[in-house]
Amino acid sequence: MPEITMVEAIRLAMKEEMERDESVMVIGEDVGMYGGAFRATEGLYQQFGPNRVVDTPISESAIVGVALGLAIMGFRPVAEIQFADFISCGFDQIVNQTATLRYRTAGDMFAPMVIRAPSAAGVHGGLYHSQSPEGWFAHTPGVKVIVPSSAYDAKGLLKAAIRDDDPVIFFEPKYLYRRAKDDVPEDDYVIPIGKANVLQEGDDVSLITYGSMVHHCRSALEKLEAEDLSIELIDLRSIMPLDKETIYASVKKTNRVVLAYEDHKTLGIGAEIAALLSEELFEYLDTPIVRVAAPDTPVPYSPPLEEFYLPKEEDIVKAVHKVIEY
Amino acid sequence: MPALPKKKLLRLYHDMMLTRMFEDRLSKLYRQGKILGGLYLSTGQEAIPVGTCAHLREDDVISPVHRDLGAFLIKGIEPRFLMAQILGKETGPSKGRDSFLHAGSKRLGIIPPTSILASTIPIAAGVAFAFKVRGEDSIAVSYFGEGGSNRGDFHEGLNFAGIHKVPLVLVCENNKYAYSTPVEKEMAICCVSYRAESYGFEGVTIDGNDIFAVYDAMEKAVEKARNGGGPTLIECMTYRIKGHSEHDEAKYQPAEEKEEWKQKDPIARFKKFLTESGHLGESEEQDIIDKIASALDEAVKFAEESPFPPGEDALKHVFATNEEP
């Protein structure tokens, strides 16, 4: 099993799915000849040709709309939005056209398509190359939302997304594109959408997270190693649907919860999980739920500003101490 | 004027009359409080869906908008199912989920409209691209108003369609008003068809109240699209006789302007031709009207007798996992 990066795993997932199923297509800005801004589609154009790997003008709304038309006709398009920050230009096509199609046709028509978008900060991208817009779409009935945290997961989840009969938005934390490396099997495997991954079992605190924050949580756990704490680390993998079963089972055991996410704190995924827990598991909670998240500001550019903005391991350590010492 | 056989001419007349008489019924149902949402009528614009859809095959796909009742009917949705859709009934194509003409059908090749105008243009371009990739000679037809042509989706969709020369016909129904806004305040040019040139294909402006002009222009555009010639934009000049919706008295439309366009009514013009050329006798016309009236009686009865969907069905059809068992 070769060790490959997350971006290589994503490329491999698309390549294998395109080999397996002729209806899989790739469409987006610079995805063809050039191979994608992050090289995620490198080699696909050369292997599959211009009818299956389609370069588009800078037209995010048309990228999603055309993909939807292709999906209606039985293709399984994988649309790339070059940066998640640009996805707002295709917002209507996603939330009003794509997400609702199955519902408003009572299941007669549906959209088996994936929208991939490099998201999140940590690479000095500034306001428009750093956003984490997963909350917008988790709030939109009819689309699934995935944020992988490792190369292994990225490959298995993207394959599942491509094979899914509903639209899936696949946010790829660009901070992890070349930092996250795994021994990724060369054979076919799929990770089911909607199942969280318990990365470490523990009894004292449930530390629930996803995406690039998984790595910051891991380094926080290393810092906490000297302390005699048993922490359960959960990687959500899917934001929508949420794996409530795994979350609830963990919280029933630990009775303490820290939620770590890179999105803005207000109305982020952590806010939803906290609300669910207070509704469903109130009697199991020994302490208040603590959220570690970014402030409600745009994502700033200059290194000290971005460093301050981003939630980091010391924030997670502090949050864990807070629920332990409460 | 094309030399069309009598049967074809009477078919066109029937379809125009069906559209108008269907809408007259809707107007009545609206006044009876049986249509709870908006009602957007195509009175005076009937020649456009009829003259364009007349050229389509079963395997072609259309994306109509809310003022294209005729297109839904000609493409094959039975009047009773469309009537049920409009009354919010379980038996309509959306099973009560969406309103008015927001109805689609995979089998019949109808992309359902949404209230976001021109949003279906990129989708139709995607459908047309699918035909091209597969090497099929089916085509897509996208309808929109001059109002929708000011949205980004129009421009992004046309640009994509032009680059890839997809088999797409763009039918603009320029009815002079976007809700209350007159065309002079919508764009600084006289014709939406000018915009096609910027995207590398032909745009034509025709008299949309002349069934023959619509029929001819569409015939050319369809032939071109089927044979790999790429898109055409047909701008059909017409006029919205009624308000934006039934609740809208449209006092902003000058009375003399409205009167002038009433004189250009596409059905009256076509009827005059048919009568004068001996294609349509009084009894033949009565026969057409009677048949439509009885079909509409049946459609209204079916729709009124159809049940509303049970409330808890609101939770179905969000994902494949909560489809019917």
Side-chain angles (χ1 to χ4, degrees), chain A residues 121-122 175 207 209 212-224 258-263 290-295 299-300 302-321:
Chain A
Y175 175 82
L207 177 53
T209 186
S212 50
M213 288 302 285
V214 169
H215 295 258
H216 301 308
C217 286
R218 277 196 156 136
S219 50
L221 291 191
E222 280 168 26
K223 291 219 162 155
L224 288 163
V258 172
L259 301 162
Y261 53 107
E262 198 194 298
D263 192 6
V290 176
R291 285 178 289 164
V292 178
V299 191
S302 180
L305 297 176
E306 188 184 29
E307 171 71 11
F308 181 89
Y309 168 92
L310 281 172
K312 42 203 150 288
E313 60 179 51
E314 65 200 66
D315 302 318
I316 298 158
V317 169
K318 252 188 244 170
V320 169
H321 283 152

Side-chain angles (χ1 to χ4, degrees), chain B residues 59-108:
Chain B
D59 51 298
D60 295 328
V61 172
I62 61 168
S63 67
V65 288
H66 57 290
R67 223 178 287 284
D68 287 323
L69 182 96
F72 292 85
L73 296 169
I74 300 164
K75 203 66 177 64
I77 299 194
E78 287 178 45
R80 57 185 182 150
F81 295 135
L82 205 52
M83 197 66 85
Q85 158 84 13
I86 295 166
L87 297 191
K89 297 299 181 73
E90 168 76 13
T91 47
S94 83
K95 295 189 181 174
R97 284 165 164 66
D98 207 347
S99 59
F100 194 48
L101 293 182
H102 292 185
S105 169
K106 176 92 174 87
R107 183 175 61 84
L108 300 171

Side-chain angles (χ1 to χ4, degrees), chain B:
Chain B
M1 194 204 326
L4 290 176
K6 177 173 174 171
K7 200 177 158 199
K8 186 99 194 172
L9 290 168
L10 292 189
R11 180 82 228 169
L12 294 172
Y13 186 70
H14 168 275
D15 291 346
M16 287 165 77
M17 282 303 289
L18 172 63
T19 310
R20 181 157 299 178
M21 289 172 69
F22 195 118
E23 292 194 347
D24 286 345
R25 293 289 176 106
L26 292 180
S27 211
K28 204 169 140 196
L29 289 165
Y30 185 85
R31 286 194 301 274
Q32 292 170 349
K34 288 177 179 161
I35 297 172
L36 302 174
L39 181 59
Y40 311 89
L41 301 181
S42 66
T43 316
Q45 303 180 206
E46 295 92 339
I48 302 164
V50 171
T52 50
C53 283
H55 295 284
L56 301 184
R57 306 191 310 221
E58 267 183 29
D59 51 298
D60 295 328
V61 172
I62 61 168
S63 67
V65 288
H66 57 290
R67 223 178 287 284
D68 287 323
L69 182 96
F72 292 85
L73 296 169
I74 300 164
K75 203 66 177 64
I77 299 194
E78 287 178 45
R80 57 185 182 150
F81 295 135
L82 205 52
M83 197 66 85
Q85 158 84 13
I86 295 166
L87 297 191
K89 297 299 181 73
E90 168 76 13
T91 47
S94 83
K95 295 189 181 174
R97 284 165 164 66
D98 207 347
S99 59
F100 194 48
L101 293 182
H102 292 185
S105 169
K106 176 92 174 87
R107 183 175 61 84
L108 300 171
I110 302 172
I111 308 279
T114 69
S115 300
I116 292 77
L117 301 179
S119 63
T120 44
I121 296 177
I123 301 168
V127 169
F129 189 56
F131 291 138
K132 190 188 171 197
V133 166
R134 287 188 178 140
E136 296 167 354
D137 73 343
S138 315
I139 65 161
V141 182
S142 192
Y143 295 84
F144 54 95
E146 91 290 346
S149 81
N150 303 304
R151 282 205 59 247
D153 273 331
F154 167 90
H155 297 275
E156 291 195 14
L158 264 67
N159 193 36
F160 184 90
I163 291 166
H164 292 281
K165 282 197 162 42
V166 297
L168 174 68
V169 180
L170 296 140
V171 179
C172 175
E173 297 161 279
N174 185 339
N175 67 8
K176 311 289 179 286
Y177 286 89
Y179 203 145
S180 76
T181 305
V183 67
E184 300 77 30
K185 288 191 175 173
E186 295 183 52
M187 60 191 76
I189 51 174
C190 77
C191 304
V192 173
S193 63
Y194 288 8
R195 291 176 168 170
E197 198 187 335
S198 330
Y199 301 114
F201 52 89
E202 188 189 9
V204 293
T205 297
I206 60 157
D207 178 355
N209 284 20
D210 175 358
I211 183 69
F212 293 120
V214 175
Y215 189 91
D216 278 359
M218 188 65 176
E219 186 168 43
K220 284 190 202 106
V222 168
E223 198 193 327
K224 183 169 123 188
R226 286 207 202 287
N227 292 298
T232 305
L233 190 159
I234 304 171
E235 179 185 26
C236 305
M237 290 301 194
T238 185
Y239 187 80
R240 198 190 69 203
I241 294 290
K242 300 275 184 87
H244 166 65
S245 170
E246 276 294 80
H247 73 269
D248 174 22
E249 291 175 41
K251 289 182 178 155
Y252 47 83
Q253 290 178 242
E256 52 283 13
E257 181 186 82
K258 214 182 272 191
E259 200 42 51
E260 187 193 323
W261 278 93
K262 276 184 183 167
Q263 300 307 314
K264 300 180 197 167
D265 179 72
I267 295 181
R269 279 166 75 180
F270 190 31
K271 186 181 163 184
K272 186 166 182 282
F273 165 82
L274 292 172
T275 316
E276 287 175 4
S277 59
H279 290 299
L280 183 70
E282 252 177 58
S283 67
E284 275 169 313
E285 202 206 355
Q286 199 52 51
D287 198 36
I288 290 172
I289 288 171
D290 289 347
K291 273 188 186 149
I292 292 173
S294 90
L296 290 173
D297 287 344
E298 195 275 325
V300 172
K301 186 168 182 285
F302 173 83
E304 292 204 301
E305 286 174 4
S306 288
F308 281 110
E312 64 271 21
D313 273 14
L315 300 179
K316 283 185 189 162
H317 305 298
V318 179
F319 290 111
T321 43
N322 65 351
E323 288 293 3
E324 308 277 356

